[in-house]
Amino acid sequence: MKSNLKFFLRGLAIATAALVACSGAGAQQKQVKVMTFGSTWERVLKPLAPAFKQETGIEIVPVIENSSAEGLSKLQASRSSPGVDVWFTGEAIAMRAATDTGLFLPLPVDKIPNLGKLIPGAHSDMFVAFWYFPTGIVYRPDLVPGGKVTSWNDIFQPAFKKAIALPAPTVYPGRTILIASLLNGGSIDNVKPGIEFLGKMRDQVAMFHSSDTNARRALARGEIMAMIGSPSAVKELADQKIPVAMVSPKPTPLIFEGMMMVNNGNAEAAATFINRALAADWQKHMTDVYNLGPVNKDVKPADALVNVLPKPGDAVTFDEAKINQHLGEWTEEFNKAIAN
């Protein structure tokens, strides 16, 4: 009798342990870990997270990155256990990441029906945009001379010395170099004039920043007068009652940023999140609170965004494959130029 009881209790213990393990695995599948930018989490995704969990049973767990380049480096360094299911990135870096088929997954079209509702060019086999935006000049009209900025040339005048912030090449990949190149007779195939110009202007620049958040904070505190940035910076500062304006002069790059699926063993939850992010109500929330362009064609851009979009003919796009191919060497030459 004692022997039978002993075996029964041992079997019960094993069964209980197995049940607990299965329960834990199931609970794990009820999370989706999203690597994204801090301001995107706080302003866009965090407010939507409770309703998403109630609707799907899936908790959104944020993993914060400062830039797409930093995010990719972290994911590749931990590829055996990335700990991330959905990764937010720019289109250029997404093209580079897409070649890493062991780390990133193709989008399961049958699980993401909202892909059929997007504007042309908003997704590929492994990347889907969440928004688009112009990269222009965000400035403080209460601080800049004359209260207004109208062109790229304005911010490189002596009156702006040590009062502007420009993105490092890894932020908005290569756009600072490309804008400077186009302004100085260069092109995507000849960025030398742009890099030389930025080297000459290094004393004009308060910071070549690796995080938009840092530049926005400096602008909010009045430590700088202007920055290269996106309409989301305008929205964030305006919500803080800080005087702010934006101009998108020629040439203004247009940029797509969005999501990729990481091979982290949680593809179903990742697809559920991405599909929900592309729905009209999430897209409307995003454009209203973040002031970036919706990729769902049924959603109109926020009024504040319409007011800062570049004029016809002033916007430019670039060959993302060329940016990926040359960004490393551009960055190296840029670093040399601003160090001299």
Side-chain angles (χ1 to χ4, degrees):
M1 177 70 74
K2 289 183 179 180
S3 177
N4 290 340
L5 179 60
K6 182 178 180 181
F7 282 116
F8 171 77
L9 292 176
R10 182 181 298 172
L12 181 62
I14 293 172
T16 301
L19 182 62
V20 170
C22 290
S23 176
Q28 182 66 25
Q29 294 302 310
K30 291 300 182 181
Q31 291 184 343
V32 60
K33 295 182 180 179
V34 180
M35 179 179 279
T36 188
F37 317 110
S39 54
T40 302
W41 166 247
E42 290 294 336
R43 297 177 63 80
V44 181
L45 300 178
K46 187 176 181 179
L48 297 169
F52 179 74
K53 184 175 182 180
Q54 184 175 13
E55 176 186 333
T56 66
I58 301 171
E59 178 186 7
I60 303 173
V61 178
V63 180
I64 303 303
E65 62 181 344
N66 287 319
S67 70
S68 298
E70 176 198 81
L72 180 58
S73 294
K74 288 183 176 179
L75 290 172
Q76 290 179 327
S78 58
R79 64 172 53 252
S80 61
S81 182
V84 170
D85 305 308
V86 177
W87 173 48
F88 273 72
T89 180
E91 185 180 17
I93 292 181
M95 288 181 66
R96 188 194 319 164
T99 62
D100 192 340
T101 54
L103 183 57
F104 298 100
L105 301 172
L107 298 173
V109 178
D110 59 324
K111 301 288 186 181
I112 311 176
N114 282 327
L115 289 174
K117 299 179 180 180
L118 306 187
I119 61 177
H123 75 91
S124 61
D125 290 343
M126 298 181 73
F127 168 81
V128 59
F130 186 43
W131 58 56
Y132 70 89
F133 60 88
T135 308
I137 303 168
V138 180
Y139 66 94
R140 291 277 300 267
D142 58 325
L143 299 180
V144 303
K148 194 172 184 179
V149 173
T150 60
S151 72
W152 292 110
N153 186 57
D154 289 349
I155 63 173
F156 294 108
Q157 297 305 308
F160 285 78
K161 185 174 183 179
K162 292 297 184 184
I164 61 174
L166 305 183
T170 54
V171 182
Y172 309 138
R175 266 53 179 195
T176 299
I177 292 172
L178 289 167
I179 291 169
S181 297
L182 293 179
L183 292 173
N184 290 277
S187 68
I188 192 171
D189 296 311
N190 177 24
V191 299
K192 184 177 180 180
I195 291 175
E196 289 179 347
F197 174 77
L198 292 170
K200 293 175 183 176
M201 290 291 110
R202 65 187 182 279
D203 292 335
Q204 184 82 0
V205 181
M207 65 171 77
F208 288 102
H209 63 86
S210 59
S211 167
D212 251 11
T213 300
N214 293 338
R216 293 178 194 187
R217 288 172 180 168
L219 191 60
R221 292 191 293 259
E223 297 169 357
I224 57 174
M225 295 190 292
M227 61 179 282
I228 291 182
S230 72
S232 64
V234 178
K235 175 66 174 175
E236 182 174 330
L237 295 172
D239 286 349
Q240 298 174 45
K241 309 301 181 185
I242 295 168
V244 63
M246 179 175 177
V247 62
S248 300
K250 187 177 182 177
T252 291
L254 292 181
I255 293 180
F256 282 100
E257 289 184 340
M259 300 164 283
M260 294 184 71
M261 285 179 53
V262 184
N263 187 8
N264 192 47
N266 199 20
E268 185 172 344
T272 299
F273 172 85
I274 291 173
N275 188 61
R276 198 68 188 84
L278 302 176
D281 56 342
W282 275 42
Q283 288 277 297
K284 182 174 180 0
H285 167 78
M286 178 274 297
T287 191
D288 287 346
V289 305
Y290 214 38
N291 208 30
L292 298 179
V295 294
N296 186 313
K297 59 189 176 185
D298 295 330
V299 180
K300 294 180 179 180
D303 290 341
L305 174 62
V306 172
N307 293 334
V308 300
L309 290 174
K311 297 175 183 178
D314 286 354
V316 293
T317 56
F318 299 102
D319 185 332
E320 302 289 356
K322 284 187 178 180
I323 293 175
N324 277 325
Q325 181 182 356
H326 298 292
L327 185 58
E329 64 192 70
W330 293 351
T331 301
E332 186 176 342
E333 292 303 314
F334 166 85
N335 290 336
K336 291 178 183 177
I338 64 171
N340 290 336

